[in-house]
Amino acid sequence: MSRQLAQPSGVAHTRIYSYGAARGEVAVPNEDLIGPIDSSDEWIRQRTGIVTRARAVPETDAIDLATDAAREAIERSGVAPSDIDAVIVATISNPKQSPSVSAIVADRVGANPAAAYDLNAACAGFAYGVAQADALIRGGIAKHVVVVGAEKLSDIVDPTDRSISFLLGDGAGAVVVGPSETVGIGPTVWGSDGSKAEAVGMSATLTEFRDGTAPWPTLRQEGPTVFRWAVWEMVKVARQALEAAGVEASDLAAFVPHQANMRIIDEFAKQLGLPETVLIGRDIETTGNTSAASIPLATHRLLEEHPELSGGLALQIGFGAGLVFAAQVVVLP
């Protein structure tokens, strides 16, 4: 008779305990970027809603930003660093392809020997990470998980690219996820459409750069394609996340979409029919588009400015390169 394998089982529910944030040290106004793209401050404000964006100094990389955000989230959570079982970092701007940002961050914050891995889902990366943290804990594989979205996009931007260069910022946002007596993270609706992968992504491969057949790869996008997809298709995903969680838009305290573009955010809110009582994350105005970091950064700012949101429901949705997306409803700490 063969032995049966033991299988772990976890708690029934999870929640987000706390948020942490770190932004690039320099506030870069529109005026500093308009020359190479032959534009104006007015054009950028009208098209994107951005007034300034946070960018890091050369000495600061995505690992530094991730560490600062994770450290704040852990300190606020009340969980000892040694009790962190896993660190997940969502990023597309690791300064090295290996080692992972997460392993270094876990060491820096005192979480060794936590499991650690990076994930690449671009602007949906943070929401992907929250979904995985929830599953790891409910599956009994971990008890406390740190999820970080961290980017230094100024390293992969072409200052002359009119499609995206003026949008991007640097920063990191983090959460601690752990067990809960009640549901704190709703079902995640996620997916991708790789058939449109060319709509947002890198301009070349590292091997092409190595071989001298392409310049340094930078992030680029087909603006109109991304706008239409974000507004019309992602609204459907947001509605599916609300339905899966068993709530309606009127039950929300906050709506925190990926900070891609203020026009997208405004149209998103209109299409969802959000009541005026729902506060909307608009961190893009002074931080810029920080890809995987944008949702936790915007949520962190909302909670700092509106502590009364604690205990309320927030719909968060990420979408971006590779046309990858994820949405879930969470209870704010």
Side-chain angles (χ1 to χ4, degrees):
M1 182 177 177
S2 62
R3 290 182 180 271
Q4 289 191 345
L5 294 176
Q7 189 171 53
S9 60
V11 298
H13 312 301
T14 66
R15 65 181 174 90
I16 293 173
Y17 288 11
S18 57
Y19 282 79
R23 290 176 173 81
E25 302 91 339
V26 181
V28 180
N30 293 334
E31 288 86 351
D32 287 5
L33 305 178
I34 58 178
I37 60 172
D38 190 24
S39 186
S40 67
D41 172 61
E42 180 182 10
W43 184 84
I44 293 176
R45 291 185 187 227
Q46 288 179 348
R47 299 279 295 183
T48 70
I50 298 174
V51 178
T52 62
R53 72 279 298 140
R55 289 193 172 171
V57 297
E59 296 78 16
T60 298
D61 61 21
I63 304 172
D64 298 321
L65 294 167
T67 301
D68 290 345
R71 186 173 285 125
E72 181 188 355
I74 294 170
E75 289 175 353
R76 289 188 169 198
S77 73
V79 177
S82 58
D83 290 334
I84 300 298
D85 302 301
V87 176
I88 303 170
V89 177
T91 186
I92 61 170
S93 50
N94 186 347
K96 298 180 179 180
Q97 289 188 294
S98 185
S100 68
V101 174
S102 54
I104 298 172
V105 170
D107 178 59
R108 288 184 179 181
V109 301
N112 271 342
Y117 63 94
D118 293 357
L119 65 87
N120 182 342
C123 309
F126 175 76
Y128 265 58
V130 170
Q132 292 183 26
D134 169 61
L136 289 172
I137 295 167
R138 290 194 292 116
I141 300 173
K143 186 175 181 180
H144 299 103
V145 180
V146 172
V147 179
V148 187
E151 305 288 8
K152 189 183 180 185
L153 299 178
S154 59
D155 282 345
I156 52 174
V157 63
D158 175 359
T160 67
D161 186 343
R162 191 178 175 89
S163 75
I164 202 169
S165 63
F166 53 90
L167 287 169
L168 306 179
D170 303 331
V175 293
V176 174
V177 180
S180 174
E181 295 183 356
T182 57
V183 179
I185 299 174
T188 297
V189 177
W190 58 356
S192 66
D193 183 2
S195 68
K196 298 183 178 66
E198 295 302 315
V200 191
M202 302 304 292
S203 60
T205 67
L206 288 175
T207 52
E208 287 171 333
F209 173 68
R210 178 200 63 192
D211 296 341
T213 59
W216 174 248
T218 57
L219 198 59
R220 48 154 300 282
Q221 70 172 347
E222 297 173 5
T225 300
V226 174
F227 185 91
R228 289 191 298 270
W229 175 72
V231 169
W232 302 112
E233 297 304 318
M234 291 303 96
V235 168
K236 298 175 186 176
V237 173
R239 290 182 181 135
Q240 290 171 17
L242 290 172
E243 182 178 357
V247 301
E248 299 179 356
S250 58
D251 296 317
L252 297 174
F255 173 52
V256 191
H258 163 51
Q259 305 291 291
N261 179 309
M262 194 73 80
R263 291 166 61 211
I264 291 176
I265 295 171
D266 291 342
E267 187 61 28
F268 224 135
K270 179 181 176 181
Q271 293 293 325
L272 283 175
L274 297 179
E276 293 184 0
T277 54
V278 178
L279 295 179
I280 301 173
R282 301 182 187 277
D283 190 51
I284 190 172
E285 182 178 8
T286 55
T287 301
N289 178 340
T290 54
S291 188
S294 73
I295 290 175
L297 283 176
T299 306
H300 182 278
R301 175 160 284 171
L302 274 181
L303 288 170
E304 291 289 295
E305 296 176 350
H306 301 278
E308 71 276 10
L309 287 174
S310 178
L313 299 177
L315 169 62
Q316 58 185 28
I317 178 168
F319 47 88
L323 300 200
V324 176
F325 58 86
Q328 65 240 151
V329 178
V330 302
V331 176
L332 295 171

